Amino acid sequence: MMVTIAVIIALAMLSVALLLALVRLARGPSLPDRVVALDLMGTLAVGMITVYAMTTQQPVFLDVAIVLALISFLGTVAFARYVEKRGS
Amino acid sequence: METVLAFVIGALYAAGLYMMLRRSIVKLIIGLAILGHAANLLIFTASGLTRARSPIIPEALSRPLAPFADPLPQALILTAIVIGFGVQAFALVLIHRAVQTGGTDDLDKMKATDT
Amino acid sequence: MTSLILSTTTRFLLPLLLMFSIFLLLRGHNEPGGGFVGGLLAAAAFALHAIAYSVGATRRLLIIDPRALIGAGLLIAVASGAAPLAAGLPFMTGQWWSPEVPALGKLQIGTPLLFDTGVYLVVLGVTLTIILSLAEE
Amino acid sequence: MKILLILPPLIPLTAAALSLLSWRWRSIQRVLAVAGTAGLLGTALALLDQVWRKGIQATQVGGWPAPFGITLVADLFSAIMVVLAGLTGLAVAVYSLASMDARREEHGYYPLMHTLLMGVCGAFLTGDLFNLYVWFEVMLMASFVLLALGGERAQMEGAIKYVTLNLISSALFLAAVGMLYGAAGTLNMADLARKLSHVAESGLVTTLALLFLVAFGIKAAVFPLFFWLPASYHTPPVAVSAIFAGLLTKVGVYALIRVFTLLFVQDVGFTHTLILVVAGLTMVTGVLGAIVQNEFRRILSFHIISQIGYMIMGLGLFTLPAVAGSVFYIVHHIIVKTNLFLVSGVARRLRGSYELKRLGGLYQACPGLSILFLIPALSLAGMPPLSGFFAKLSLVRAGLEGEQYAIVAAALGVSLLTLLSMTKIWAEAFWKEETKREPKQEAAIEPEPRASWSLLLWPIATLAALTVAMGVAAEPVFTLATRAAEQLMNPADYIRAVLGEGP
Amino acid sequence: MLPAVLSGFAAALVASWLHRLERETAGWIIALLPAGLFLYFSGFIEIIAAGDTVAVSYAWVPTMGINLSFYADGLSLLFVLLISGIGTLVLIYSGGYLKGHPQLGRFYSFILIFMASMLGLVLADNAITLFVFWELTSLSSYLLIGFDHKREGARFAALQALLVTALGGLALLAGLLLLGQAGGSLELSVLLSRGELVRAHPLYTPILFLILAGAFTKSAQFPFHFWLPNAMEAPTPVSAYLHSATMVKAGVYLLARLHPILGGTDIWMYVVTGVGAATMLVGACLALRQTDLKRILAYSTVSALGILTLFLGLGTPAAIKAAVVFLLGHALYKGALFLVAGAVDHETGARDVDRLGGLRQAMPITAAAGGLAALSMAGLPPLFGFIGKEMLYEAAYGSLGAALPLTSAVVLASMIFVAVAGMTGFGPFTGKKTSTPKHPHEAVMSLWLGPMLLGLSGLLLGLLPASVGNSLLSPAIEAVSGQAGDLELTLWHGLNPTIALSAVTLAGGAGIYAGREALRRAASRLQMTSWWGPARWYSLLLDGLNVLARGQTRLLQSGYLRYYLLIIIATALGLAGPKLASLGGPPGLVSWQEVRFYEWSLAALILLAALVAIRSRSRLGAVAALGVVGYGVALVYVLFGAPDLAMTQFMVETLTVILFVLVFYHLPRFARLSSGLVRARDALVAVTAGALITTIILFSSNVQFHPKISGYFAEHSLPLAHGRNIVNVILVDFRGLDTLGEITVLAVAAVGVYALLKLRLREEKSK
Amino acid sequence: MSDIISGVLLLAGATFMLLAAVGVVRMPDLFTRMQTTTKSATLGAGSMLLAAALYFGDLGVTTRALAVISFLFLTAPVAAHMIGRAAYFVGVPLWKETIVDELRGHYDRRTHDLISNPTMPITRDGNTTESSN
Amino acid sequence: MFLWNILLTLIWAGLSGNFTFSNVAVGFGLGYVVLWMMQRVLGRSRYFAKVHQVIRFALFFLWELILANLRVAHDVVTPTHHSRPGVIAISLDAKTDVEISMLANLITLTPGTLSLDVSADRRVLYIHAMYIDNDDIDAVRRKIKSGMERRVLELLR
Ligand code: NA
Ligand code: NA
């Protein structure tokens, strides 16, 4: 019961969080700002998938969360590398 | 949700096509990418949605518990995603070379081979 | 241009990621994963290495030219599909063996898994070829 | 011998994989190029023979019963197309040995050629709609790279248009397949044919049919979707142009014929009439485009479009003789158009340019080459007794029988304009006196050893001989085309071959 | 008979080689073939005179009803003998005329191909076979007119002749096919007996017009006559053979051949007669304006072809008789005159009648030959031309309804023929000797033999008309008229009105000859006619075609990728839109309540991200937004039970973003390049397309005709394929072939990326 | 019991994540934004995964959850460091109220090498820290 | 020794035939206790000292993490910005790659501070600090050196 309610609240909060992060992504102003927003969205998505796995009793989705966590880090690093390279 | 996704897909198509209609080659390729997402989502939606239940047979069972999501469109989309990835990678390098050899990213200036 | 922090972390992450990619490949037949995702993850791991160190370092680490991986992967995939032809069965008919392995019990090994391995190699080779040659630009 | 069905895609794939592994050794790749394509041609002929003798052949990949697994099917039309792929492949492979530069050979030219053939053969043989998409992509991807290989500016510009428009087509194709699956719940074409044949919501099916029409229409380069073709076909090395010109657009035509004889026959009055209109417009716009051009390969490229119109004209008429005419036309066109491009390459090697302005004097200098040009050129224009004449004749006749006089008039008028175009090349490149070469041009002409000339000329001569043979002995080819058309027009056999007697 | 017909093609293959072997005498040797054919076919005379026909048939493309069938009756035989006979002479002549020409070998080949095609044409029984040979004559004619291919004039004339005749040829093809449909057979021998059926067929008129278009263009009938004089660019033997004696008569042959099937109707009579008369007069008048020997002859040939057409159009027994007799006479004298003109040209280097004169001393034999031919052309007894002309007058005079205008027109044309005969057969040899570019000598034997024999045969036939009358001409006339009749050819009919007309003709002709220069001057003031002539139309038409083609191509193949895209999108919309609209509104929308709130926000996320991607002024910002779209889509996959998809999508999306980043590093920044209006238009198009897609999905998501096949996969995945993850099992087993293709695509993409980055030919060259 | 704990963990995690998102919108400059996202989000995701581990109570799930948590904690700071360093290098402006910048002028523009000069830290406006204090 | 512990855990889980998280955790704990008691038999191992150190460090770190997170949270949700940020150089005692990286990463994870970069000669770590209270830069430096750096070095050396 507790979990059921918590899940709904969590999903709501995460939904809002995703949209907020998008605001930063759209606004920038600098490229690193957007990268930060994208990175955050990746983490938020990890959270969202975790919650969803709980609400649906489908732990297989956690695998998706793992892969996302692994890979979004890589994306951020690549982006950062690009930012730095372009700056020179 | 099919209805909502129908609108999302339509909007993605519109966005992708609009981007492709720009003169900038960079926007063209972003448009193409969006179009790819739209097409995949379309297959996903058109063959019917099932919430959450993945087509994986649980331990101790010999077939998945109904209702489960249709695995076939998933496999098709997976194939399409992978193909799209290859195409996207190649197209990216292609525009990179095109800009390098042509010295511009303005598609309107790339029309020497037509007439 | 390299970062000490990144390269140090990468030293830990690389084996972890590679392990996980093989894990994804092996269990893909029963749970989410498979040759494609596994191959991509392995490629991503090497890409991380290339960012942390340099493309040259990654090429040295790989020993094998990624392009050879592509050819080999394709051949494995074809061979796994063509094997049943010899038995007069249609192309890609799954052939299964269930050897008894101590401690692990009965294992199901089949040509589809071999095929998936081919996929893994191709995807790894392809993604690496693309990323490394682009990064060398 | 069901193995014959899988070998046409498999042989090129194996050759490609081996070529990739022997990346550094050009000579191995060159041997593989000829061996692979020759093997393909041999297999294809065996397959055709088998289909001819035993009827439509089908095999279930993976042993899964249709419609669940992927079915490979060869009816006569498919088998003919595979033979043509093998033929074109072999001709171009041999020609490439002498014409492809070492740098391109070192950068994957041969594996790409193999994969192109693989995709083409797969597309011809598959009995599954989504699998068709995959083969299309294999073929497209290989063609993208072949087109861009070398990285010259014109290649890049051409490739961007080619790639973009073909990707639009793929996206549309994919979407249409998805929706069709959503509605009919299957991907096997025979199964789809069976299920679509008793469907109440034919309006939706027709809408999907139109999406397929546009998607395949782009690939086939019909009016008004052909822009990618003239923008790109003249930019890559000539061997690539040749195989593109001969094979690629025909895969689109193949797909159109396949789905509009097997799947979408609910509203023939609308869809096929539409195809007929498109056919006419395609013929006319293509040939008009060619008239404007002054470059050997550009002229040929626009003519491809024009002749696509003829190929789908038979489909639009949708009668047995008409479809037979289409099949005949495709056979004729593939051989002839490939050959013309190969000739253009020789001309360019002799004179250092594809521009008619800079060509000239070939008639006097190389009478043999002149004949080798005239044969396919006149055949293209439909001059008797060459293959093109019978191709045109069968379509015109079917049009007259179907009382579609407008399309007949277009077909005949366009063939006159084709003749005009061909004589333009003839007059400028062959009859006209040799123009003074600029020093820069001189440099572009590399001296060639004798052996390389025979590698260039043998494929041309063989294809020209086929062109003559198909005219002088048109009967066997026409019988074949008619039998193929019979199978196309009576899908019941096809469905039975794939699904068995079934419900 | 088949070997006889095809022997020419075989000979063409070796002619070139023979010429290389035997430069001097090749012409004579090759001429043995037509000579042999002449003798061979002469053997048919007896059979055919007896009222029989000779026919052979081999299946060629039986599925299409095409047979290699040949059929010799009187009409064919007359043509065959002309073709092989004159062919023999022309080949001999060519050897002398083009002596030393580097491409003489090819010339022999072309002439032989032409001859064989012509034989095939006149002997063909099957309509399609006839057409095949018909086109081959056009083609060989193209190669022969353009024989002197380095001159632009020759190339132009060759193309003109080809286009005009091929245009007619295409009409002819359609006509013949329809004729076959109407008559139920493609064999002419069968059709000949089904004339009633064909004439009653609803398609009779189109059939007639189509076939006439073929015949008229080939036989240079007004207004298609212009190509013939231009074709005089060809070497003279070609002009003599093709453009006077044989090829141009193919159209006449066709009219004659099909007369029993199509003729006899009012429309036939009016059209054929009218065109023939117009051609006759126009040709004759234009002939007078020329000064070039060959052009004068060419226009007079046009006129003669008009006469033949005119009389075939009349279709009365007398008219047909006259036409056949005139045809033979004309072939003999016109061939001779052309050859003479060629000899004169060859020896003097000049062809302008004003600059030629007094050659009879230098070239006595040629002069004699020219004189004989000219007398025949002028219609003087005792030459064969006289008989022909008399019969024309008789038939014209005897025609009902229009006897007077017709007769006067024919007389006028004949008068001009007299003048032309004077200008071409007498003028160069009589009068004062003029200076010419070359010093004239008598031509070599090969050059005078042909005209001499032709001239003499005109004389011989005139003296002994019965020798050919019954055996050769009479069966020909029967074949044309479709009924038996007898032909009594005599030189002297006694004093009758036609003799009087002949006298008038001769006098008038002499007058015209005398006043030719005045006439020419007068005509040149009428330059207008040439400005308005059909040749002008030809070039206008070609120019118009070019303008149209250029405009169309500029419009369509503009080079702007975005217009291509617009057109393609518009096409898809234009096709699918109306169809969809006709289905009415989408079936009941799914209720919105079913949608969960986080699904709403996910949808919003995707849409907003797409919007950001569009609006972003920063490239990498757009890429980041694109990544969000991809992540959003992956989350959708999560929500609806597709973990494999989601996993792959996340992975691919991230890698794609990395690739974008790697590439964009080298690319220029975004610039806003389009105006607001353009952007609004594009947005409109894009949104419409999106709306279409949405509508289709709404339609199809509620439609399910049949249960899906995926139940099978769920059922058998574990027991048969040993896998629990059904998606993966589909990928590697059920539909493994897709995956094989997919990894091939990837492999190719990698090769492509590698090659594009590492292989830069242009840069390598510049190094 | 474990239900309650995982419920609490879930809510805490979600709260942290929302905070991170609010922070990334509200904070005045890139560096302060990163301050909020790197830890709040990581912590949030961590506690959610922990909640899932408790909730499912299955070894496989737990192992996976712990694996992701460790991975997140291992990589998030590295990512932040990479972005931060790049941003600083390309001159993304610091908030106007930043009181000190000892990194200024220490990057070699060409080699991207960072020079250490701990004895003479420099403030943003070029004065030594000592004098600004 | 860690491997021993794992092995014991596996044996426990295998014997009980139950691979749920709680059971495995129990197994691990039991194994640890058994091993700890057997120290005299097996000989003293650094394993136990390290484990205790790690646990202590983890608790410290978690505490820091939560505390600082709350501070940031406060800043985020209240309308005014309380932060006094700055970029600070910290001289390093940590020497090896691992030490430096770990320190830097932990600093980043602790809210309020963010490692920006390490100087090429590895002598200085530059961090972005969000709350330089009373503008006392040295206090921040001291806190990091005596807090995080000391504990990290203790743990790793
Ligand atoms: Na795609
Ligand atoms: Na559906």
Side-chain angles (χ1 to χ4, degrees), chain C residues 67-68 75 78 90-93, chain D residues 6 10 13 21 23 60-62:
Chain C
R67 275 171 297 158
L75 274 187
V78 170
F91 184 68
M92 294 195 108
T93 306
Chain D
I6 186 69
L10 218 53
L13 175 59
L21 280 176
W23 185 273
Q60 307 299 133
V61 178

Side-chain angles (χ1 to χ4, degrees), chain B residues 45-48, chain D residues 179 181-184, chain E residues 700-704 708:
Chain B
T45 310
S47 47
Chain D
M179 287 190 275
Y181 173 76
Chain E
S700 70
S701 68
N702 286 324
V703 173
Q704 177 87 57
K708 293 178 190 161

Side-chain angles (χ1 to χ4, degrees), chain D residues 249-487:
Chain D
T249 44
K250 262 54 76 187
V251 186
V253 175
Y254 168 86
L256 279 176
I257 292 181
R258 181 61 75 203
V259 300
F260 281 97
T261 55
L262 184 61
L263 303 184
F264 303 120
V265 287
Q266 297 80 13
D267 194 0
V268 173
F270 174 63
T271 48
H272 289 63
T273 310
L274 182 66
I275 291 176
L276 202 58
V277 173
V278 169
L281 290 168
T282 307
M283 285 176 197
V284 173
T285 45
V287 87
L288 288 180
I291 285 176
V292 187
Q293 306 305 318
N294 286 303
E295 201 245 49
F296 207 142
R297 290 197 292 175
R298 289 190 196 222
I299 296 176
L300 295 179
S301 298
F302 271 103
H303 275 298
I304 299 175
I305 298 170
S306 169
Q307 274 121 30
I308 296 291
Y310 286 91
M311 290 172 224
I312 63 168
M313 168 182 164
L315 179 62
L317 290 168
F318 205 56
T319 60
L320 176 65
V323 175
S326 277
V327 175
F328 195 116
Y329 206 102
I330 293 173
V331 177
H332 141 72
H333 177 86
I334 289 181
I335 293 175
V336 160
K337 193 38 81 55
T338 309
N339 207 9
L340 282 171
F341 270 93
L342 296 183
V343 171
S344 79
V346 177
R348 129 103 217 212
R349 179 162 288 207
L350 288 165
R351 293 289 182 265
S353 175
Y354 291 108
E355 294 290 339
L356 294 185
K357 206 169 52 189
R358 297 187 180 180
L359 291 167
L362 293 173
Y363 176 68
Q364 196 162 10
C366 328
L369 182 69
S370 310
I371 294 173
L372 290 178
F373 168 75
L374 268 189
I375 290 172
L378 294 173
S379 182
L380 194 76
M383 271 285 166
L386 301 162
S387 57
F389 169 69
F390 291 99
K392 184 178 74 185
L393 176 68
S394 51
L395 284 171
V396 164
R397 202 163 125 164
L400 290 173
E401 280 166 8
E403 301 184 358
Q404 298 284 359
Y405 301 116
I407 192 79
V408 170
L412 291 174
V414 167
S415 85
L416 182 68
L417 298 183
T418 310
L419 184 64
L420 175 64
S421 258
M422 289 301 116
T423 51
K424 179 173 169 181
I425 299 179
W426 172 256
E428 292 286 312
F430 288 85
W431 265 359
K432 191 183 71 189
E433 235 174 328
E434 189 178 349
T435 42
K436 281 245 158 52
R437 289 189 212 154
E438 293 160 27
K440 212 171 88 191
Q441 249 177 294
E442 202 76 58
I445 305 166
E446 302 126 27
E448 287 301 324
R450 251 193 125 66
S452 123
W453 277 111
S454 69
L455 286 177
L456 289 179
L457 291 178
W458 267 111
I460 296 177
T462 312
L463 294 179
L466 278 172
T467 309
V468 176
M470 275 176 57
V472 174
E475 175 65 10
V477 189
F478 196 73
T479 313
L480 189 64
T482 308
R483 291 257 310 257
E486 278 165 9
Q487 290 177 347

